[in-house]
Structure formats: C-alpha cells, structure tokens
Amino acid sequence: MTFSYLKKNFLLPVLAMLIPAVAACFLYTPYWEVSFVAAFDADPYRRASETFLILFGDSWQYVWPVILVAVTQVVGAALIVSAMDRHFRTGKLSFKSPWQLINISVFPMAIGVALMSAVSILVRLLMFGLVSLVQVTFGAMSAAPGMVLAVISAIAVGVFFLHVLALLPMLMWTPVMFIYGYKFRDAAAMSYKMIAGKKLFWSLFLPMLLCAGVQLLVGFLQVHLAIAVAVSFVIFLFTNVYTTVYTMIVFYDISDLDRRDIQPYKLLPVTPSAPAEKAAKTEPQEIAEPKKPKKSGAAKTSKKPKKEDDNVL
C-alpha cells in the first residue's frame, strides 16, 4: 500500500526529506537502539559509563545540532503530510504554496516529534538498565562474551519491537489533530481507538527492522566512514519518507475517507436514447386544446321518444 504510492509519487516526499536526512546522517546513526551492539567490539563487559556512552552515542552532547535536525524534520514531515492531504482531497500532488502547507500541520507535527523523541530517550534508558543487568548477571557467572552479546542483541530486538508498537498510535496523533481539529488529549485517545483491532503493525515494523539490520551489519563490518555516512543518509531518507507516507495512507484508510487520487469523479454513461429524451424535454410543447367528451352509446340511444302517429287507433 505504502510502497505502491511511493512508486507513483516518490519525488516530492524525497525532496522534502533531503535536508533532514543530510543533517542527521553526520550527527548520529539511525536505529542505534539495535545497532549499538556492534559498538561493543565483541567485548560486552564494560563499565556503566562506557555502556551509557555506547547506548546514547555522542549526539546527546550536542544540543543545538540535535535541535536543528528536529526542526528540519518537523518542517519536512509537515510539508509532506499537508501535501498528501491536499492530494487525497483534490487528486493533485504538488508543493504549491509551501508556507501555507507547512502552516496547516506544523504545530501538531512538532508536538508529535517532541513526544516521540521523549519516548526514544526513555527507551534508551530502559535499554541501559537491561544491558547493565545482563552485564552484571552474566559477569558473575563468567559467561562467554559471545553469549552475552547474543542475549543483549535479543533484548535490543525485543525492546525495539515494543518501541515501534508504542510509536504506531503516536503517528496518528498529527493527522487527527490537523484534519479533525482535535486537541492533543482527544487526539491521543482517538488514535488508540482508531488502530484497535487493525493489522497495521507489521507493515511498519518489518521495513524498520530491515533498516536496523542493515545498519547493524554496517557496524559489524566497520566500513569506511564515508560509506557509513552514505548508508546512514539512505536509511534516514527512507525511514522519514516511509513513515510519513505510511501515516497518511493508513489514516485515510482506517478513517474511511474518500481519496480523489484513486477515486476520481466519474461521469455517468450516456445511453443512445438520452439525447432524444433531453431534446424532447427542452423543446416547448404546445398546449393541446381540451377535447370534447365523446357521447357514449347509451347517450346516443337515449333520444326523445317520437310522437305517436295520429292515425294510430
């Protein structure tokens, strides 16, 4: 569903997310909540401070660059969702009047990105506690480093699963707020009701897990810095475009809203007799004179009786 839309209309979403992807790929690594395992260099037994630095990376030390990336992310995502909303309503996809498009959804998008970032930080803290627990427990057992890394990898995938599961309803907050006009609290409650019972998770989780696996492989191979940055750029670009497009398509689908990009107006078929009927309706009709009522047979026979003949005796 999402890939079919991107196949037809990929240029404008990609252009909107170029700047955020460029800004992010030089600052931190995508899907670090899974690919951090490669940073242990086959030695999981580290001090708590080293484990913390591995899990959070260096990006937490740079405040303004992170804010810059977040701002460009919000602007690019707001431009995409607003353009897609207009595309679905009118059937035309364009970035005409970009400031007007950004103004429509930038505030709900900023709230969504801020909260998802806060959730990501909480996930990193949870991961730090679990990894530290594994290090202490298996260290006391003198377990092999390979076994410890396998356990940490399994925990990373499990926490990543829960992270995506928590992000799924949060993605719906933005369209609910700027399309339906809900406030944040009502939008959050509405989002959970909208996705309840819907099979939406795997179409979001599997592409993200694939990207995380690619990033983990790059980390284990220890490729050149330029290649690592290029891979991070592609993964950032794909993730940003896919999640924003996925959000709008799923929102319109589960809300049962009409989409003019796939359901344009259709003219009714004209039958051969229609022009004649139309012409007959449009031509002025002459007013027919009222016909005199015909005399019935009984009326004809009911004549006055003839006078009797005087000669009759």
Side-chain angles (χ1 to χ4, degrees), residues 80-312:
I80 291 177
V81 297
S82 299
M84 288 186 65
D85 179 57
R86 186 167 66 181
H87 183 208
F88 291 166
R89 292 177 183 272
T90 64
K92 297 180 180 180
L93 178 62
S94 67
F95 283 162
K96 187 177 180 181
S97 304
W99 295 113
Q100 183 179 2
L101 289 175
I102 294 173
N103 187 43
I104 294 174
S105 59
V106 65
F107 181 69
M109 185 61 68
I111 295 177
V113 171
L115 290 175
M116 286 187 282
S117 300
V119 171
S120 298
I121 294 174
L122 293 177
V123 168
R124 298 286 181 94
L125 291 174
L126 174 62
M127 185 69 68
F128 171 70
L130 293 175
V131 171
S132 299
L133 178 62
V134 169
Q135 289 173 337
V136 172
T137 303
F138 282 82
M141 298 168 55
S142 300
M147 181 180 178
V148 179
L149 283 176
V151 173
I152 292 175
S153 301
I155 292 175
V157 173
V159 173
F160 181 67
F161 181 91
L162 296 177
H163 188 193
V164 178
L165 190 63
L167 289 179
L168 181 58
M170 299 175 69
L171 292 174
M172 301 295 136
W173 292 352
T174 298
V176 169
M177 291 177 69
F178 86 88
I179 292 178
Y180 286 157
Y182 283 22
K183 294 182 179 180
F184 169 71
R185 182 181 301 178
D186 298 331
M190 182 66 179
S191 299
Y192 283 99
K193 292 180 181 179
M194 288 176 64
I195 67 172
K198 304 295 191 305
K199 297 179 180 179
L200 306 172
F201 175 75
W202 295 108
S203 57
L204 178 66
F205 177 74
L206 291 179
M208 298 179 73
L209 183 62
L210 179 62
C211 292
V214 172
Q215 193 64 58
L216 179 62
L217 180 62
V218 170
F220 275 125
L221 294 177
Q222 296 183 354
V223 298
H224 192 270
L225 179 60
I227 299 177
V229 170
V231 173
S232 298
F233 166 76
V234 173
I235 291 179
F236 270 122
L237 184 62
F238 172 79
T239 302
N240 292 340
V241 172
Y242 182 83
T243 52
T244 49
V245 173
Y246 172 88
T247 299
M248 291 302 296
I249 291 177
V250 168
F251 175 79
Y252 263 76
D253 186 34
I254 62 180
S255 299
D256 201 18
L257 298 175
D258 292 333
R259 284 181 53 180
R260 294 290 160 77
D261 61 318
I262 57 177
Q263 296 178 358
Y265 285 115
K266 294 182 180 180
L267 298 176
L268 295 176
V270 179
T271 59
S273 60
E277 293 177 1
K278 186 177 180 181
K281 291 181 180 179
T282 55
E283 289 179 358
Q285 298 181 358
E286 296 181 358
I287 301 175
E289 295 182 0
K291 295 182 180 180
K292 294 181 179 180
K294 295 181 179 181
K295 295 181 179 180
S296 61
K300 290 180 181 179
T301 56
S302 63
K303 294 181 179 180
K304 291 181 179 180
K306 294 181 180 180
K307 291 181 179 181
E308 295 181 352
D309 193 0
D310 294 338
N311 297 326
V312 177

